[in-house]
Amino acid sequence: MSIAHRMIAARKIRTFWSSGPDGRAMFAEAFFLPLLISAGFRLAGVPRTQAALRRWSAAFPKPDSRVPHAVILDAVRAQRTIRRTLKIGGSCLVRSLSLWALLLRRGIPTDLRVGYRKKDGAMEGHAWLEYAGNPINEEPAVAGTYCVQENLVAFDRSLARLAR
């Protein structure tokens, strides 16, 4: 490893340790959640994985007294840092559910959006989160190119039961 790479690694480690216990916990969750969610999709399917994330968030809350926008920015930053540095992130649905669980655990409810569009004759799907009607892990211009189907299929079966 070159000296430049060592200096970059040392700076990242210093940043991690200086983020405080709450920041380190958020980085740890941003690291582990995509791995667990990807495995959950394969073993239990999307609805059960999302339900498990909801139960985990409720069973182990980590309330944050800061304004929601500050917490959202920190969570998005942690997720992007983990994805960029360690190449862990998964598909847009995995990333969105990871961020959804991070924020739900901290008492910030967000809306998972799944949209579809036709591009070059093929259908494409994409997932992102919204808070107060604004995309938080996708550019608004990109999210606007997708048609969001409301009430198409509830990922979380517990939500489908509540709607009845």
Side-chain angles (χ1 to χ4, degrees), residues 112-127:
L112 177 66
R113 298 286 184 232
V114 177
Y116 302 93
R117 70 179 177 189
K118 194 170 187 178
K119 186 175 180 185
D120 298 329
M123 289 296 287
E124 292 181 342
H126 188 49

Side-chain angles (χ1 to χ4, degrees), residues 3 22 24-26 45 49 56 59 64 71 76 98 103 105-106 111 113 122-123 143 151 155 157:
I3 292 176
D22 291 337
R24 288 192 297 270
M26 191 175 289
T49 301
W56 171 75
D64 197 315
V71 179
V76 169
S98 297
L103 295 172
R105 186 169 183 221
R106 285 156 180 81
D111 298 313
R113 298 286 184 232
M123 289 296 287
N151 301 322
F155 281 115
R157 287 187 183 141

